[in-house]
Amino acid sequence: MNAKAVDETFSNGFEQLTLNEVILETKLFNEKNVNVKECELILAKLVYLFNHDEPMTEDQTSIIFFNLTKLTQNDDETIKSLLYTALSYLTSFSSFCMITNVISRDLNSKSEATRIKALKMLCHVIDSQNPIQLERNLKINIVSKTSWISDAALQTSINIFESSHEILRKCQEEISQVLFGSKIESVQTKAFILTKLLKQNDNVSFVKTILQMIKTPDSMTEALSVLLLKEIRLMIVRDNLQIKDRELMSKFVAFIEGCLLDTSDAVFIEAAKIYIGVNNIENKRLEKLVKHLNEFISCGESIYVYIGLKLLRGLSQNPQRLPLFKHVPDLRSLLDSSDPLILEYTISILIKTSKPEELEEVLDQIYKLINKIPSYLWKEIVTFAVDGAKQSNSTAKSISALLINSIREHSDVSLRIMSSETLGQLSLENSSIRRTVLNFFTEYIEDSTSSELSIIMIEFIGQIMRLEKSPEKY
């Protein structure tokens, strides 16, 4: 019984308890033939007080601890469970290592619940463990046919890795056995985490393990597949595999493409995050992925809409992928969303993928939302403006109208300065908007309350007028 279960069971009956009363009751543990029910009740009282942060002196802790040790030979499962729960609150006690032998013995208990409790307690007495005995106990419990025991043994191994990594290296065969043989999600993932820890200084061996894993994707649980994909993604970026190891990269891509067909949304999403960033994949091979993302967006559930847009945004960052957006339905309706992240990703995608004839309407919609747009997104819009204006005169005019409106209406001076600098630069590069910008700047500075903004506009006015045939009328 854990602390939460004790609270739920006895919360009404234990509210008036005092620590001294319960300490006196623990003397019962010293009797030769203890009353099991009475012991269970006293242990439950202790756990209740511990769980409610009852303050204890060193002397009180000592009395409680040594009285508790009298119950370590008792094989009643409820007593054993409550005993370990109570002891878990006393791990900082100076003599706690005295129960090392008790824990070592219980690691081989016939009771599965007791073995699990002992495994969880093992990390608190690790310094006083016999290395050979510890190795043997870990190996036996890691490959236990009972998944809860195997899980607890792996979690304990992770917890003691820093202090016992040399012992754990001798358990690699057993860890590998459950990594490739278990069908239990938590067991597989913890075995993988432990494998990574053990091979953190041997990248070649770790890569071999990953390659062995991706040969049998059907043997992996959803959680392990996601964890493995995250690791592959990290390796691709960290080791620059797209350039430095194309053979390994091709093996990873084959595995990733298989994961894109997985029925699990979690696996698909993690695979998609990697796939959209692979450079040498033809757009045609990405069409199914885009179709799947469209389904996410059209389902209406905010979390899926968000994920679909986030991944599409990643695609839109690569100019080579822009043709794929002909397969994406019109996203402009999402500009009405009240979710700031959905709004942000929609704007980011639309400013890069809208056709010139659609851009003016899109920018008008964006302008209406200008006070909802965070400054970092506005920087992205402004950056796009410089490139987008080069595509056509109509695009340049649409963008300049947006920038002019933002300067007039937005309350953030830094945003207006950014828009002014971009607008001025665009006017120098595109003659179709030059006079419009010049007229706006000369009119705006008359009533401007920002000296910094006025100086920027005056500087651009001077540069633009050098390009005008009749500057005197300004």
Side-chain angles (χ1 to χ4, degrees):
M1 185 178 288
N2 59 27
K4 183 178 179 182
V6 169
D7 257 14
E8 291 173 351
T9 306
F10 300 105
S11 58
N12 292 329
F14 288 173
E15 290 176 351
Q16 304 302 318
L17 284 177
T18 66
L19 185 60
N20 284 330
E21 289 174 3
V22 179
I23 288 175
L24 287 173
E25 292 180 15
T26 62
K27 291 181 179 180
L28 176 69
F29 301 160
N30 294 295
E31 295 180 4
K32 287 186 178 181
N33 299 310
V34 295
N35 183 303
V36 172
K37 291 298 179 183
E38 286 186 17
C39 285
E40 289 176 2
L41 184 60
I42 296 166
L43 286 167
K45 290 177 181 179
L46 272 177
V47 171
Y48 178 87
L49 291 171
F50 290 161
N51 197 40
H52 287 75
D53 299 321
E54 185 74 18
M56 291 187 295
T57 65
E58 185 71 17
D59 287 342
Q60 287 174 322
T61 303
S62 178
I63 293 169
I64 292 171
F65 176 78
F66 286 108
N67 284 342
L68 286 174
T69 60
K70 303 301 181 181
L71 290 177
T72 55
Q73 304 301 319
N74 194 299
D75 291 326
D76 180 84
E77 283 203 21
T78 305
I79 285 183
K80 207 71 158 176
S81 177
L82 284 166
L83 174 62
Y84 270 111
T85 302
L87 287 170
S88 69
Y89 289 92
L90 303 175
T91 54
S92 60
F93 180 56
S94 57
S95 299
F96 191 80
C97 62
M98 288 183 65
I99 63 166
T100 298
N101 289 336
V102 174
I103 293 172
S104 298
R105 186 197 68 219
D106 286 346
L107 290 173
N108 298 294
S109 172
K110 292 180 180 179
S111 165
E112 293 177 355
T114 298
R115 285 171 72 181
I116 291 170
K117 288 280 188 179
L119 281 164
K120 290 180 178 179
M121 195 66 73
L122 181 60
C123 58
H124 298 294
V125 293
I126 197 66
D127 293 336
S128 54
Q129 281 283 319
N130 178 293
I132 296 174
Q133 189 179 21
L134 175 61
E135 178 190 335
R136 184 178 66 83
N137 284 331
L138 286 174
K139 285 181 175 181
I140 291 171
N141 286 293
I142 286 172
V143 296
S144 170
K145 292 180 181 179
T146 303
S147 60
W148 296 110
I149 293 175
S150 180
D151 180 274
L154 289 165
Q155 183 60 58
T156 295
S157 298
I158 293 170
N159 294 342
I160 66 173
F161 177 78
E162 289 298 323
S163 60
S164 308
H165 55 274
E166 291 302 326
I167 293 173
L168 289 169
R169 289 189 195 286
K170 299 175 183 178
C171 302
Q172 288 192 74
E173 185 178 336
E174 287 74 19
I175 296 166
S176 180
Q177 185 178 327
V178 294
L179 173 62
F180 289 97
S182 177
K183 296 294 183 182
I184 305 301
E185 198 166 80
S186 61
V187 172
Q188 273 197 339
T189 53
K190 287 174 183 177
F192 180 74
I193 292 168
L194 197 49
T195 299
K196 182 182 176 182
L197 286 171
L198 288 166
K199 298 187 178 186
Q200 59 188 342
N201 296 319
D202 187 356
N203 192 54
V204 173
S205 177
F206 187 51
V207 170
K208 284 181 179 178
T209 300
I210 290 178
L211 290 176
Q212 189 179 350
M213 292 172 69
I214 64 178
K215 287 178 182 177
T216 55
D218 292 340
S219 66
M220 285 188 273
T221 60
E222 177 186 69
L224 182 60
S225 295
V226 170
L227 195 59
L228 182 58
L229 285 164
K230 287 180 182 290
E231 193 60 39
I232 289 173
R233 186 182 180 199
L234 176 65
M235 291 173 67
I236 290 171
V237 175
R238 183 193 63 207
D239 301 332
N240 198 12
L241 295 183
Q242 295 195 60
I243 296 174
K244 294 186 176 180
D245 196 335
R246 293 184 180 180
E247 182 181 352
L248 178 58
M249 187 67 196
S250 66
K251 292 176 181 178
F252 284 165
V253 167
F255 171 67
I256 293 162
E257 288 179 332
C259 290
L260 290 172
L261 303 175
D262 200 292
T263 56
S264 161
D265 286 338
V267 175
F268 168 82
I269 291 165
E270 206 56 48
K273 288 178 184 177
I274 306 172
Y275 205 58
I276 62 176
V278 180
N279 296 325
N280 61 349
I281 294 176
E282 297 176 358
N283 280 353
K284 190 167 184 63
R285 290 166 66 184
L286 284 157
E287 288 178 4
K288 286 185 178 179
L289 182 148
V290 171
K291 183 180 178 181
H292 201 141
L293 296 180
N294 290 341
E295 292 172 1
F296 276 14
I297 293 169
S298 62
C299 79
E301 290 186 43
S302 293
I303 184 63
Y304 283 102
V305 176
Y306 163 75
I307 291 168
L309 288 171
K310 185 176 182 180
L311 291 170
L312 283 177
R313 185 193 194 189
L315 272 180
S316 71
Q317 307 283 8
N318 185 344
Q320 295 177 347
R321 303 304 186 199
L322 293 182
L324 285 165
F325 284 83
K326 67 184 179 183
H327 302 291
V328 177
D330 193 342
L331 300 177
R332 282 178 285 181
S333 62
L334 294 175
L335 290 174
D336 296 326
S337 173
S338 58
D339 188 312
L341 287 174
I342 289 177
L343 193 61
E344 175 184 333
Y345 289 150
T346 302
I347 291 172
S348 181
I349 294 167
L350 286 173
I351 60 172
K352 297 181 185 70
T353 61
S354 295
K355 298 174 183 176
E357 61 270 22
E358 300 170 341
L359 191 59
E360 185 173 357
E361 183 181 343
V362 168
L363 292 175
D364 282 343
Q365 286 181 274
I366 292 174
Y367 167 66
K368 292 174 184 176
L369 301 166
I370 194 165
N371 286 307
K372 295 182 180 179
I373 297 174
S375 58
Y376 59 83
L377 179 57
W378 188 251
K379 288 179 182 178
E380 186 176 334
I381 295 171
V382 168
T383 301
F384 164 77
V386 177
D387 296 328
K390 296 175 183 177
Q391 297 175 19
S392 67
N393 288 338
S394 62
T395 302
K397 289 176 181 178
S398 297
I399 291 169
S400 64
L402 174 67
L403 294 172
I404 286 171
N405 284 333
S406 71
I407 296 167
R408 280 178 174 153
E409 304 293 338
H410 208 283
S411 57
D412 188 335
V413 175
S414 62
L415 187 147
R416 283 188 282 156
I417 289 172
M418 188 193 313
S419 297
S420 299
E421 290 174 336
T422 304
L423 186 60
Q425 192 60 44
L426 287 179
S427 69
L428 297 176
E429 297 173 2
N430 191 305
S431 59
S432 68
I433 63 169
R434 194 171 292 151
R435 291 194 176 184
T436 301
V437 174
L438 188 54
N439 283 326
F440 169 68
F441 279 175
T442 52
E443 175 190 331
Y444 186 88
I445 58 175
E446 292 181 9
D447 300 315
S448 175
T449 56
S450 169
S451 57
E452 187 177 357
L453 195 57
S454 297
I455 291 170
I456 289 169
M457 290 184 175
I458 290 170
E459 288 177 350
F460 276 112
I461 288 171
Q463 294 179 58
I464 295 170
M465 289 180 71
R466 292 193 194 102
L467 302 174
E468 281 293 303
K469 293 180 180 179
S470 305
E472 63 276 358
K473 63 182 179 180
Y474 296 97

